[in-house]
Amino acid sequence: MDKYYEFVYELKASEEEKIIDQFIKYGFNSFYFEEDVESSKTFLKLYVKKEEQIKDILDLLSMYGLKLLSKEITEESKWLEEWKKTIDVFELIDGVWINPFSDKKIEKPGIVLNIIPGSAFGTGLHSTTKLAAELLRKVCCIGKDVIDVGTGSGILSALAKKIGANRVLALDNDDLATEKAKETAILNNVSIEIKESDLLSTVGEHERFDILVSNIVAEVLIQLMKDPKFDKILKNKGFVILSGIIESKEKLVIEQAKDVNLVLKDRMEDGSWIALLFQKKT
C-alpha cells in the first residue's frame, strides 16, 4: 500500500482559489479542502508521496503564512476515503455531470462521466477543465478526430467521445496519468487510444486531427505549439483549444499561436484562468 505524508493546514476560505491556482500550475493535485461547520474554519489537507517534493510544496505554502496543524504518514486508501466524503455529483458544464463514486450509478439528464478520484488526479472541479470542456462542446466533436495532450485523468477525452468524436488519442508524459485515463475509459465504456508521450513525440507522421485540446499551463502550451509535429498533425481549419492560462501569460500564448498559423476564435475565463479557441488557417 502506498504511503503518503499528510499535512493539515488551517486557512481562510478566501485563500482557496489562490492556493488551487498555484498547485495546479505546478502540477500538484493531491489535496482537498475541508470545512468545519461548527467552528466555521477551513482546512487544507495535502498528501505528498515523494520526499523530494516536500520542500518545494512547503516553500510554496509559506508564501501564505498558513498554520500547520499536523503532519503524519498515512496510506492512500485512507485519505481517499476521507476525500470522497467531501465531494458529490456535480455539473461540469450544462448537461454534463461528473460522478466521482465507483459504487453508485447516477441518473441525470444529459451526459454522466464516471471519474474516480485518485492520488494524482482530481475529478474535473478545477475551472480550467470546465473551460476546456465548454469549448470542446462548442466546436462540435461529432465524427471528428480529437487529440488530447496532457490528458491527466482522461476526462476531456471521455467527454469528446461521449459527444460524438470518431477517434480520440489521449497523451500524457506521466505513467500514472495514462493508467488513470485507461481506468476512466473503461468506467465510461468508451474507446480511447492512450499513450505515454512527451508532448507529440509518439504521434505518427501521417496522423491528422480535426481538434486538439490541451489543459496544462501556459509555458507547456507554448512548448506544444513549438513542437515540429504541431502544424503537421492539425488538419486545415482544425480547432485548437488551450486551457490553463493565467492572465499574465495570455499574450505570450496568443503570439505563439499566430506564429503557427492559428487564428483566435473565442476566449473564455473563469476567475483567474483563461481558455482560448483557435482555428488553423487554410
Side-chain angles (χ1 to χ4, degrees):
M1 184 64 67
D2 289 336
K3 300 289 185 179
Y4 284 79
Y5 293 91
E6 176 192 67
F7 297 85
V8 181
Y9 289 87
E10 183 179 337
L11 74 161
K12 297 176 183 177
S14 60
E15 296 171 321
E16 287 184 31
E17 184 175 347
K18 294 178 181 177
I19 291 172
I20 290 174
D21 290 350
Q22 289 297 321
F23 280 162
I24 298 297
K25 179 180 179 181
Y26 288 98
F28 180 70
N29 298 287
S30 303
F31 66 93
Y32 69 93
F33 297 99
E34 185 176 273
E35 293 184 15
D36 187 316
V37 177
E38 292 184 4
S39 66
S40 298
K41 291 182 179 180
T42 301
F43 302 95
L44 164 66
K45 293 188 175 183
L46 60 97
Y47 299 83
V48 186
K49 186 175 181 180
K50 298 177 181 178
E51 290 191 37
E52 57 266 29
Q53 286 185 311
I54 293 176
K55 184 179 184 302
D56 291 339
I57 293 170
L58 297 187
D59 285 348
L60 182 62
L61 289 174
S62 68
M63 297 166 47
Y64 302 97
L66 303 183
K67 180 182 178 182
L68 178 62
L69 301 180
S70 67
K71 172 188 173 182
E72 61 182 73
I73 297 176
T74 187
E75 294 180 353
E76 179 182 32
S77 60
K78 291 181 179 179
W79 75 262
L80 282 178
E81 286 306 313
E82 290 300 313
W83 185 18
K84 289 177 184 178
K85 295 176 184 177
T86 72
I87 58 178
D88 201 352
V89 176
F90 67 94
E91 200 168 17
L92 175 66
I93 57 177
D94 187 33
V96 178
W97 300 84
I98 301 296
N99 174 24
F101 304 109
S102 59
D103 56 350
K104 293 182 183 179
K105 185 176 180 180
I106 305 298
E107 298 291 341
K108 290 287 185 180
I111 294 171
V112 175
L113 292 174
N114 301 297
I115 310 289
I116 299 177
S119 60
F121 308 99
T123 57
L125 282 166
H126 198 261
S127 57
T128 60
T129 309
K130 297 177 184 180
L131 292 171
E134 195 69 74
L135 289 175
L136 194 58
R137 182 170 59 180
K138 182 172 183 175
V139 297
C140 183
C141 291
I142 297 174
K144 303 293 180 61
D145 293 333
V146 178
I147 182 169
D148 177 10
V149 184
T151 193
S153 65
I155 185 172
L156 293 173
S157 289
L159 175 61
K161 200 67 179 177
K162 289 265 190 177
I163 58 178
N166 173 39
R167 178 195 179 198
V168 177
L169 174 61
L171 306 177
D172 206 292
N173 65 356
D174 187 330
D175 60 344
L176 290 176
T178 55
E179 287 305 310
K180 191 67 182 176
K182 289 174 184 176
E183 175 190 75
T184 297
I186 293 170
L187 286 170
N188 290 282
N189 194 29
V190 292
S191 176
I192 298 170
E193 298 170 51
I194 300 163
K195 295 182 180 180
E196 189 172 339
S197 178
D198 185 9
L199 295 180
L200 304 174
S201 62
T202 63
V203 180
E205 287 295 326
H206 301 291
E207 293 186 273
R208 300 291 181 267
F209 298 89
D210 302 284
I211 301 167
L212 180 150
V213 60
S214 187
N215 177 27
I216 318 180
V217 293
E219 292 83 355
V220 181
L221 295 174
I222 290 170
Q223 289 179 33
L224 171 61
M225 288 186 282
K226 289 181 177 180
D227 191 301
K229 292 183 181 178
F230 182 83
D231 181 65
K232 294 178 182 178
I233 69 164
L234 197 62
K235 296 179 183 179
N236 286 338
K237 294 188 177 181
F239 288 102
V240 175
I241 298 165
L242 303 179
S243 189
I245 305 163
I246 57 175
E247 187 176 0
S248 62
K249 303 289 185 179
E250 181 181 11
K251 186 177 179 181
L252 293 174
V253 173
I254 292 174
E255 288 176 351
Q256 181 59 42
K258 289 179 181 177
D259 287 345
V260 290
N261 212 29
L262 298 180
V263 178
L264 183 62
K265 291 293 183 178
D266 200 359
R267 177 188 186 276
M268 298 183 70
E269 61 179 295
D270 186 349
S272 58
W273 295 98
I274 296 164
L276 302 172
L277 172 64
F278 298 94
Q279 188 171 27
K280 182 179 178 179
K281 294 180 183 178
T282 55

